[in-house]
Amino acid sequence: MHLFYQPDIIQGSHFLNEEESRHCVKVMRHKIGDIIKVIDGKGGSFTAQITKADYRKCEFEIIEQSKSPEKRFNIHIGIAPTKNMDRLEWFVEKCVEIGIDEISFIQCQQSERKHLKLDRLERKAISAMKQSTNNQFPKLYDLMSFQQFIENNSNPDQKFIAYVDELIPEHLYNLAERNQRYLVLIGPEGDFSKEEISMAKTNDFVPVSLGKSRLRTETAGIVACHILNLIN
Amino acid sequence: MHLFYQPDIIQGSHFLNEEESRHCVKVMRHKIGDIIKVIDGKGGSFTAQITKADYRKCEFEIIEQSKSPEKRFNIHIGIAPTKNMDRLEWFVEKCVEIGIDEISFIQCQQSERKHLKLDRLERKAISAMKQSTNNQFPKLYDLMSFQQFIENNSNPDQKFIAYVDELIPEHLYNLAERNQRYLVLIGPEGDFSKEEISMAKTNDFVPVSLGKSRLRTETAGIVACHILNLIN
């Protein structure tokens, strides 16, 4: 059964947005009476019947619904966008496939990229969510400065910062506990500056290693996300 | 210090190949007397001094050498090439960053890709090896049929096959033991056929899960490689 995304279905929005309507009616050629599956990216899954096969606003009626059990952990990754946009899109796609709740993009001193196309990343996330059947659409936050980010994120249970450190800190795999709200910071190609590391430590971020290899930014992000899913 | 790759340095090849020579002499503008670092992709690491700065064959003399300790495990992934070549290149790049010993490309019944550019994948692997400082160049084997592959790989300690199975097999993370020679099979976009799964089981491959999500081929490969590194 074909899968479509409507984030506000529970609030009564029983139609697909323009992009999904076009896909449903023009590409998949669905007609009135056809049965489709709709997810809301928040764990809700709906079997629906098309009541108006309009390619700009395809309407449907819910026949059956189910809800995934509440997750007991929350993964938030704060990452410095890579210079090459493809690498960042890959990071988003892979994390959504594996499972992630929040992604923040952080402007660091040594970041080469100064702006983002958040809508492109959102489209990548939607398509990854649909194909992985994960039904969990992450919150994607627009680019903000390192300092602003650090000071606005005081609620996670465990806060980590991953960087290349000669002191070789403990592995994230050993430090992360189960069923927590995690926040992991991943630095830019040129790594975090000394000031940023010190600011993070002052704000209770714990330095962690992600293994012996020197990983690229996007690989470090994927690896951190996978470790946290694995221990849960 | 700039890093170059010469796989046969220990056999006395004290020069860089054409591509690496060009990079060293034309791009990095190294001259006679300059000190460079050369790795052999087998754990050997060499500090070397340039004795002939020729951009077709840059020669050097070894000043110092060291060898990484022998690894106690071996990761071999057999993967059906993805239709989109970029996805396969990403798989190779990420696995080399994380750490992998052997990669086989398998022609499955439901594979859409029938040929490979192995040299392109090798270049990706070399660049990932240099940037990750992993100094471990994997063996890349050319495309072979599923049956040929299954019948020629009897020496690993633990053999797994990952596919979407309604019986939900045990997670690779729980089944893999430490310090083993592993072989993991990852299927194509349309998954393995029933005949292939049955042939693999007959040849002692154990079905495994890689988590709740339905992962893309390349993601499944990366995730399997990461799990095996993590438990070791």
Side-chain angles (χ1 to χ4, degrees), chain B residues 64-81:
Chain B
E64 215 176 84
Q65 65 184 78
S66 65
K67 178 96 183 147
S68 326
E70 199 77 23
K71 273 178 66 184
R72 277 173 305 179
F73 61 96
N74 187 86
I75 302 175
H76 182 179
I77 296 202
I79 192 165

Side-chain angles (χ1 to χ4, degrees), chain B residues 75-82 88 91 95 100-108 111 139 141-146 149-150 153 156 158-163 182-188 192 205 210 217-218 220-222 224-225 228:
Chain B
I75 302 175
H76 182 179
I77 296 202
I79 192 165
T82 51
L88 196 62
F91 159 76
C95 284
I100 192 159
D101 303 279
E102 299 172 73
I103 302 178
S104 293
F105 301 103
I106 317 168
Q107 180 78 57
C108 296
S111 292
K139 291 187 195 112
Y141 305 106
D142 209 353
L143 204 56
M144 66 180 92
S145 77
F146 185 86
F149 180 76
I150 287 283
N153 275 287
Q158 292 198 288
K159 296 193 285 188
F160 301 108
I161 179 167
Y163 59 95
Y182 313 99
L183 172 54
V184 186
L185 283 180
I186 307 286
F192 292 113
F205 281 79
L210 297 171
T217 295
E218 74 281 5
I222 295 167
C225 176
L228 296 175

Side-chain angles (χ1 to χ4, degrees), chain A residues 195-212:
Chain A
E195 294 75 33
E196 285 165 342
I197 293 172
S198 134
M199 201 192 298
K201 284 181 178 167
T202 312
N203 284 275
D204 305 321
F205 281 79
V206 177
V208 282
S209 151
L210 297 172
K212 283 176 210 151

